[in-house]
Amino acid sequence: MAATKDYYQVLGVPETATVDEIKRAFRRLAKQHHPDRNPGKPQAAERFKEINEAHDVLSDPAKRKQYDQLRRYGAFAGAGGYGGAGRGPGRGGGGGGGGGPADLGVEFDLSDLGSFGGLGDLFSSIFGKRGGGRMEQAEDEVEATVSMPFRVAALGGKVPVTLPMAAVCPTCGGDGAAPGATISVCPECKGRGTISFGQGGFAVNRPCPVCRGKGRVPSERCATCQGAGEIRVEKRLIITVPPGTEDGTRMRLKGQGANGRGDVVVQFQVEPDRFFRREGLDVVGTVPINLAQALLGSKIKVRTLEGRHVVLKLPPGTQHGQRFRIAGQGIEKNGRRGDQYVEVRVEIPDRLTPEQQAALKAFAEKAGLKY
């Protein structure tokens, strides 16, 4: 049986790829092959598992080091080293007497490298470290984007969010068996929870697809969860948003993942405001004024970020785009507070009556303005 695929090839990255490059490749591929986006396509689900498995190993420095060492011995298809492409056993490579992997008799258990967790909301990937012949459930991470109003982001507040998660099936209690069904040792993996893929002296263990790493199978699957042991539920969270939160900020909610394990990572998306826009800790709002107010000066009422109203005095000759500062009315963060700026927009009438044109021409002539 052929060895497992090369993890670098699975993610489409070179051996020298950085952690950030690996994460970017993983996220792109995971979104593309996520089962929720490919309903009824089992090959997409299998590809998704491969992507998660590769990311779990290559994103962890210790696991990656162990994997690279074994990869150099040719334990993985397409890898370099003694047992690389065209140099497996029987081809004059490592299977001979030259110190190749077949002589080493090494068994490599992927479960020793940790869980196969990856994209946040895939709680069906329950394969983790091997223990007692079974696979423990992995602590997956859920990622979500939370949209919030501009003022909530600036001033702080609470935002409700509903996330789809996995929960233990209430019918079978997580064993995947229908009521009254018998549970026996998995005939595929003989209760180990893993099956071996190998070549020569190497064996690579992966979760058993029949029992899903549990080592046991029911005589009849649970009708509620179809034997998965889990169901999809919606979990409602109230997220406390700190003042001064910027668009794209990420927050980790410890222990809020599926079944109380793992974390929820939310990325905030700040909605634009009809009046305010942000510049660091300062906020800017544009206020329209007419030509007379700009020329003669005026008093205008302006709303602050916190909803109060202040009166702002505009001097005669106010220019279009001119800004006026209201001290201490910006965003507060880490003990610092910005200001609010009022930017005026001088609006000119589209049309003038004959009387208005005559008056304006008279003004232009007295002021020496060319037109």
Side-chain angles (χ1 to χ4, degrees):
M1 185 176 294
T4 188
K5 292 183 179 178
D6 187 305
Y7 285 158
Y8 291 101
Q9 293 179 4
V10 169
L11 294 182
V13 297
E15 300 177 19
T16 56
T18 64
V19 174
D20 287 340
E21 289 172 338
I22 290 170
K23 287 183 178 180
R24 284 197 296 270
F26 162 71
R27 288 171 180 167
R28 174 176 55 81
L29 293 172
K31 288 180 180 178
Q32 179 182 350
H33 298 283
H34 196 288
D36 291 348
R37 292 191 175 185
N38 300 273
K41 295 182 179 179
Q43 65 273 23
E46 184 61 30
R47 172 74 170 134
F48 187 67
K49 291 179 182 178
E50 280 185 347
I51 294 166
N52 275 274
E53 182 180 314
H55 171 261
D56 183 73
V57 173
L58 298 184
S59 63
D60 185 290
K63 297 176 186 177
R64 183 177 180 180
K65 181 178 180 181
Q66 181 184 0
Y67 173 79
D68 286 345
Q69 289 174 342
L70 289 165
R71 185 173 179 270
R72 283 193 290 270
Y73 286 122
F76 310 102
Y82 298 113
R87 296 203 59 186
R91 293 191 179 185
D103 298 322
L104 299 177
V106 177
E107 178 178 338
F108 177 52
D109 186 355
L110 286 181
S111 66
D112 291 336
L113 291 181
S115 66
F116 296 160
L119 193 67
D121 62 351
L122 183 70
F123 289 100
S124 59
S125 294
I126 61 173
F127 309 116
K129 295 182 179 179
R130 186 175 61 179
R134 298 178 57 120
M135 296 295 228
E136 297 177 358
Q137 200 168 28
E139 296 184 354
D140 287 339
E141 182 177 278
V142 180
E143 294 187 356
T145 300
V146 177
S147 182
M148 73 183 74
F150 180 90
R151 282 179 173 79
V152 173
L155 301 175
K158 296 184 182 297
V159 176
V161 60
T162 301
L163 301 174
M165 292 189 180
V168 175
C169 176
T171 302
C172 65
D175 61 15
T182 59
I183 300 178
S184 57
V185 174
C186 175
E188 179 72 17
C189 66
K190 304 298 187 288
R192 293 185 62 223
T194 60
I195 54 177
S196 297
F197 296 82
Q199 185 176 15
F202 277 95
V204 179
N205 292 339
R206 301 185 65 183
C208 175
V210 176
C211 66
R212 307 186 184 191
K214 297 178 180 179
R216 298 170 31 155
V217 293
S219 59
E220 182 182 354
R221 291 186 176 182
C222 172
T224 303
C225 65
Q226 304 301 316
E230 294 180 331
I231 59 172
R232 300 290 287 180
V233 297
E234 289 188 342
K235 184 172 183 178
R236 182 178 174 84
L237 300 174
I238 302 296
I239 301 175
T240 300
V241 180
T245 296
E246 299 183 46
D247 186 71
T249 299
R250 293 167 66 88
M251 175 184 288
R252 181 177 295 273
L253 307 176
K254 292 285 188 179
Q256 294 296 325
N259 299 319
R261 295 188 311 276
D263 302 336
V264 172
V265 178
V266 296
Q267 180 169 322
F268 294 123
Q269 187 176 49
V270 181
E271 301 168 357
D273 190 78
R274 291 186 300 173
F275 180 68
F276 291 110
R277 64 183 184 274
R278 180 172 178 173
E279 295 181 359
L281 294 181
D282 298 330
V283 292
V284 181
T286 302
V287 175
I289 62 173
N290 60 44
L291 187 59
Q293 289 175 305
L295 291 172
L296 304 175
S298 180
K299 290 182 179 179
I300 59 174
K301 187 178 289 186
V302 179
R303 178 169 47 88
T304 67
L305 186 62
E306 295 179 346
R308 297 188 297 107
H309 288 85
V310 297
V311 176
L312 182 65
K313 185 177 181 180
L314 302 179
T318 294
Q319 302 297 308
H320 176 79
Q322 189 172 346
R323 288 186 177 187
F324 297 89
R325 174 172 171 260
I326 304 177
Q329 294 299 316
I331 296 172
E332 185 175 6
K333 185 177 183 180
N334 298 329
R336 298 173 55 227
R337 182 148 195 169
D339 302 321
Q340 177 174 333
Y341 287 89
V342 176
E343 186 176 274
V344 297
R345 183 179 70 242
V346 180
E347 296 185 337
I348 299 174
D350 294 331
R351 296 179 181 177
L352 296 175
T353 65
E355 293 80 6
Q356 291 170 338
Q357 286 185 11
L360 186 57
K361 287 180 181 179
F363 167 76
E365 290 174 359
K366 288 183 179 181
L369 300 177
K370 295 181 179 181
Y371 61 91

